[in-house]
């Protein structure tokens, strides 16, 4: 093992090693892709509000960065990253937004009543978890 491989880098060394751009990309792009480009769920002007931008960065960017790092360090295959994406979707839609169990209204309104098991709308869950696995995790990491 070379000296460079065994050395732990300080935060300043990490940022100076051309990693700042990919880190910023993964902090910002997943929320843009999930909320604006693909779903159209939020207008782009939402990102002009610093509090909303900060919240989207916390709820989309930090998990995407964490999943990317776990995926790279563990040397798992693409399927593992997709499974992490589904887990992220459960976190985002099940815990944060709570749309997997909502009784009515947007965004799951058209899916309500089709295959509800233990209060979870399976049709909505299938759609939104696949969406998050692909567009909030998989695509931003591969880009």
């Amino acid at each position: 093992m070379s000296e460079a491989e065994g050395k732990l880098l300080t935060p300043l060394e990490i940022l100076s090693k051309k990693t700042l751009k990919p880190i910023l990309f993964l902090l910002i792009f997943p929320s843009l892709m999930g909320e604006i480009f693909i779903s159209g769920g939020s207008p782009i002007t939402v990102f002009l509000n610093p509090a909303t931008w900060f919240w989207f960065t916390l709820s989309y960017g930090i998990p995407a960065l964490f999943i990317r790092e776990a995926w790279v360090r563990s040397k798992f295959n693409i399927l593992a990253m997709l499974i992490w994406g589904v887990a992220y979707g459960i976190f985002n839609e099940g815990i944060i937004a709570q749309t997997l169990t909502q009784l009515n209204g947007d965004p799951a309104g058209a899916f309500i009543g089709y295959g509800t098991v233990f209060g979870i709308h399976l049709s909505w869950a299938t759609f939104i978890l696949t969406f998050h696995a692909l567009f909030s995790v998989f695509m931003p990491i591969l880009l």
Side-chain angles (χ1 to χ4, degrees), residues 9-59:
L9 301 175
T10 67
L12 290 176
E13 289 173 326
I14 291 170
L15 295 179
S16 68
K17 300 249 186 227
K18 298 182 182 179
T19 58
L20 184 59
K21 286 181 185 178
I23 289 171
L24 289 176
F25 180 82
L26 274 178
L27 287 175
I28 296 168
F29 191 71
S31 58
L32 288 172
M33 192 156 186
E35 290 291 328
I36 294 173
F37 298 149
I38 304 296
S39 74
S42 301
I44 193 124
T45 55
V46 165
F47 281 88
L48 298 178
N49 180 345
T52 305
W53 177 82
F54 181 73
W55 174 250
F56 279 146
T57 300
L58 281 178
S59 62

Side-chain angles (χ1 to χ4, degrees), residues 115-139:
T116 302
V117 176
F118 299 117
I120 297 174
H121 307 293
L122 296 181
S123 57
W124 171 248
T126 302
F127 169 76
I128 199 65
L129 296 181
T130 303
F131 176 87
H132 278 300
L134 292 175
F135 297 113
S136 299
V137 174
F138 187 73
M139 299 275 297

